[in-house]
Amino acid sequence: MRYLTFALAKGRLAKTAMKMFESIGIECEEMKDEKTRKLIFVNEDLKLKFFLAKASDVPTYVEYGAADIGIVGKDTILEEDRKLYEVLDLGFGKCRMCVCGPKSAKELLKNHGMIRVASKYPKIAKDYFYNKKHQTVEIIKLNGSVELAPIVGLSEVIVDIVETGTTLKENGLDVLEEVCPLSARMVVNQVSMKMEDERIRKIITDLKDKISEKVI
Ligand code: PRP
């Protein structure tokens, strides 16, 4: 039996995903040691490997087959636009991709004015404004604390993740439009889906059962 390799987006998603995997018998003792500097973790009995990666790199590992399975947010899947199968909505890490800004920017959006849009997600922002709204805008790529952009006059609006809404509220900004809902997803390499069909399908079915148990 060959190893099945999992790439997990570092941080909260990985922690919740590992709990979910444990509930279906997929576990990795080595990974529980919070102090370890190891990058790859192995479960020899089950022939499984796990590694943590920067979220935006997870789809890359999966597309190239360095990982068979990836756990990553829908935001990253949309932004990276890699060739892979998105097989399951894991139902956690729920939040929304939104156009946000000061209330005064609402008019600019309505009138389809030429505006500047700052975002960590230029592809999602471009797709939303050009293909969905048919509005020409200038997209400015930022790498974090995007809420600053409309406050300091870099852009009129931002396209960013809204979870609790606290960051917006504390900075006098509002959700102006919703782009799409987001949550953690399981993605699979296209070749692995064929070669390891049985093992991967069982994981999907077991996870689906767990997810529906929680809903009921
Ligand atoms: C994300 C996102 C918002 C914030 C939303 O940023 O970009 O800034 O969380 O969460 P809230 O609605 O619960 O306030 P993150 O913390 O990942 O850091 P960043 O701003 O450096 O990108």
Side-chain angles (χ1 to χ4, degrees):
M1 191 159 61
R2 79 166 185 91
Y3 285 97
L4 262 192
T5 303
F6 294 72
L8 305 154
K10 263 186 217 167
R12 251 184 308 163
L13 284 196
K15 277 196 181 149
T16 314
M18 281 315 287
K19 275 195 198 131
M20 204 168 202
F21 280 133
E22 261 177 45
S23 74
I24 62 160
I26 292 182
E27 48 195 347
C28 187
E29 273 307 311
E30 274 192 337
M31 235 175 144
K32 290 179 186 161
D33 177 4
E34 303 226 340
K35 281 181 284 179
T36 185
R37 301 290 293 166
K38 269 180 92 163
L39 294 172
I40 187 134
F41 307 94
V42 187
N43 180 330
E44 287 295 349
D45 298 335
L46 299 175
K47 286 277 177 272
L48 302 172
K49 283 186 186 169
F50 301 85
F51 64 84
L52 300 171
K54 195 174 154 79
S56 52
D57 291 337
V58 168
T60 313
Y61 285 110
V62 174
E63 177 180 318
Y64 285 92
D68 303 286
I69 292 170
I71 303 295
V72 67
K74 179 70 177 173
D75 49 323
T76 309
I77 297 172
L78 291 170
E79 186 63 27
E80 295 301 315
D81 198 20
R82 292 284 178 175
K83 284 194 198 75
L84 37 77
Y85 296 131
E86 183 188 322
V87 295
L88 193 58
D89 182 343
L90 297 168
F92 62 85
K94 284 190 182 172
C95 48
R96 301 180 292 158
M97 186 65 75
C98 298
V99 180
C100 311
K103 278 200 179 70
S104 56
K106 219 170 179 141
E107 278 302 301
L108 295 170
L109 290 172
K110 227 196 306 175
N111 302 335
H112 279 215
M114 180 65 188
I115 51 169
R116 285 170 302 180
V117 180
S119 186
K120 273 194 293 187
Y121 302 91
K123 189 186 175 299
I124 295 176
K126 190 173 174 202
D127 189 54
Y128 178 72
F129 278 100
Y130 282 72
N131 300 333
K132 207 162 169 193
K133 294 200 68 187
H134 306 290
Q135 179 174 0
T136 306
V137 296
E138 185 179 345
I139 312 261
I140 302 170
K141 160 96 165 104
L142 286 179
N143 296 298
S145 303
V146 182
E147 289 84 358
L148 262 176
I151 299 172
V152 298
L154 176 66
S155 71
E156 281 72 33
V157 297
I158 60 174
V159 167
D160 200 20
I161 292 174
V162 179
E163 193 180 351
T164 60
T166 313
T167 314
L168 290 180
K169 205 170 161 202
E170 291 191 2
N171 291 289
L173 304 171
D174 284 294
V175 169
L176 304 175
E177 291 175 2
E178 184 171 322
V179 177
C180 63
L182 305 168
S183 56
R185 308 290 161 101
M186 174 169 155
V187 294
V188 177
N189 171 267
Q190 295 187 339
V191 177
S192 307
M193 198 69 228
K194 291 190 186 76
M195 305 297 285
E196 292 293 332
D197 177 68
E198 209 173 303
R199 285 171 89 193
I200 294 176
R201 253 172 227 292
K202 173 148 174 46
I203 295 171
I204 297 171
T205 312
D206 290 352
L207 285 176
K208 270 189 188 161
D209 288 347
K210 282 287 160 198
I211 294 163
S212 61
E213 266 173 34
K214 271 190 197 146
V215 170
I216 297 161

